[in-house]
């Protein structure tokens, strides 16, 4: 189980700090009555394409994968994705809404090195963090684009660790994604699964050190 030798608290971004489905509003604006479905397919394919490209050794930045996944979702739902609509929807990903408790929690985490670690490429992460004026809370914004290997590959977590300059057991990593929790725990991080949806952990032989419903439970 986890211990308290934590020096760095590291957050996944999509689904952990920011609600990926806050794009539904823009999806609905562009494609009335199909916004929620397109958002769901978009996210599903975004993850699937990153996993497949990792397995194939055919890396592309997450921004391109996000674009490809959106195009797939629109083809699936038989709607026309014009260049103008595509631009608006992709820009919505740079303005995702944080979960309600995020800012308050970040302001209270003193004495730790704070970082985000994401599959998202720099052109996605930096505008998103800047849009919500969160830059001052983080010591590092780490993207797998620096090593071109998506999570949950072990080399991606090693890359993040090298950026942090601490030992792996001194990292507390938080994610809402069970595959990310499994990857980080297997690598040797302490992990907290942010189980916002009341889901179940994947059967991957991994048990999270902590399971919390939202970030406020960090203080418990």
């Amino acid at each position: 189980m986890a211990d308290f030798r934590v020096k760095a608290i590291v957050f996944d971004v999509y689904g952990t700090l920011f609600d990926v489905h806050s794009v539904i509003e823009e999806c609905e604006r562009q494609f009335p009555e199909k916004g929620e479905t397109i958002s769901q397919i978009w996210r599903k394919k975004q993850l699937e394409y990153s996993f497949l490209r990792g397995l194939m050794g055919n890396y592309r930045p997450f921004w391109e994968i996000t674009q490809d996944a959106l195009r797939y979702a629109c083809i699936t739902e038989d709607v026309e994705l014009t260049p103008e609509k595509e631009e608006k929807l992709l820009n919505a990903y740079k303005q995702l809404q944080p979960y309600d408790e995020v800012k308050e929690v970040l302001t209270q985490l003193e004495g730790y090195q704070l970082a985000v670690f994401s599959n998202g490429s720099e052109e996605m992460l930096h505008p998103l963090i800047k849009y919500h004026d969160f830059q001052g809370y983080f010591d590092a914004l780490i993207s797998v684009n620096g090593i071109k290997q998506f999570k949950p590959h072990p080399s991606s977590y090693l890359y993040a660790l090298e950026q942090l300059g601490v030992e792996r057991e001194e990292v507390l990593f938080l994610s809402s994604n069970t595959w990310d929790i499994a990857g980080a725990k297997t690598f040797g991080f302490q992990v907290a699964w942010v189980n916002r949806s009341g889901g179940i952990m994947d059967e991957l032989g991994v048990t999270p050190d902590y399971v919390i419903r939202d970030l406020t439970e960090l203080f418990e």
Side-chain angles (χ1 to χ4, degrees):
M1 291 298 291
D3 60 43
F4 295 99
R5 293 180 296 156
V6 172
K7 293 183 179 179
I9 299 178
V10 181
F11 299 89
D12 172 51
V13 172
Y14 301 118
T16 305
L17 296 179
F18 297 92
D19 182 3
V20 294
H21 293 300
S22 58
V23 297
I24 287 177
E25 183 177 343
E26 188 61 41
C27 288
E28 187 66 25
R29 188 177 294 116
Q30 301 303 325
F31 305 114
E33 300 184 5
K34 293 194 174 186
E36 183 173 358
T37 300
I38 287 174
S39 177
Q40 295 289 343
I41 297 172
W42 188 3
R43 175 59 173 169
K44 179 182 177 182
K45 282 295 175 179
Q46 182 192 51
L47 292 174
E48 185 179 310
Y49 287 170
S50 68
F51 295 151
L52 289 172
R53 285 191 175 277
L55 289 169
M56 293 186 295
N58 186 13
Y59 180 86
R60 291 292 185 277
F62 204 60
W63 181 245
E64 293 183 25
I65 285 177
T66 300
Q67 183 181 49
D68 291 341
L70 172 61
R71 290 172 177 175
Y72 176 93
C74 290
I75 292 171
T76 300
E77 288 303 298
D78 194 26
V79 294
E80 182 183 3
L81 182 65
T82 64
E84 293 76 17
K85 289 184 176 183
E86 181 176 80
E87 182 179 5
K88 288 179 180 179
L89 287 164
L90 289 173
N91 281 337
Y93 236 89
K94 297 179 180 179
Q95 300 177 3
L96 294 174
Q97 290 303 304
Y99 290 99
D100 292 339
E101 82 281 7
V102 169
K103 185 172 184 177
E104 181 180 355
V105 169
L106 290 175
T107 62
Q108 297 180 56
L109 288 175
E110 297 179 356
Y112 299 98
Q113 183 181 177
L114 300 184
V116 299
F117 174 42
S118 176
N119 277 343
S121 49
E122 295 88 349
E123 62 190 309
M124 300 176 72
L125 291 180
H126 289 268
L128 177 60
I129 297 297
K130 184 177 181 179
Y131 181 77
H132 294 286
D133 199 24
F134 283 177
Q135 310 98 301
Y137 298 123
F138 297 110
D139 300 292
L141 305 179
I142 306 170
S143 167
V144 301
N145 198 47
I147 192 172
K148 294 181 170 49
Q149 187 69 259
F150 289 117
K151 296 185 289 180
H153 196 281
S155 63
S156 66
Y157 300 102
L158 177 60
Y159 174 74
L161 185 65
E162 291 170 346
Q163 308 308 302
L164 296 167
V166 297
E167 301 298 322
R168 64 183 71 191
E169 64 271 13
E170 295 173 333
V171 174
L172 176 62
F173 178 72
L174 294 95
S175 179
S176 65
N177 300 298
T178 54
W179 51 267
D180 203 3
I181 288 294
K185 178 64 176 177
T186 300
F187 178 74
F189 289 164
Q190 299 183 58
V191 298
W193 176 29
V194 188
N195 186 10
R196 295 186 180 278
S197 62
I200 59 173
M201 186 65 195
D202 284 313
E203 292 295 324
L204 293 169
V206 172
T207 302
D209 298 296
Y210 306 102
V211 179
I212 59 179
R213 289 171 295 182
D214 60 48
L215 299 185
T216 60
E217 294 187 7
L218 263 177
F219 301 109
E220 298 178 13

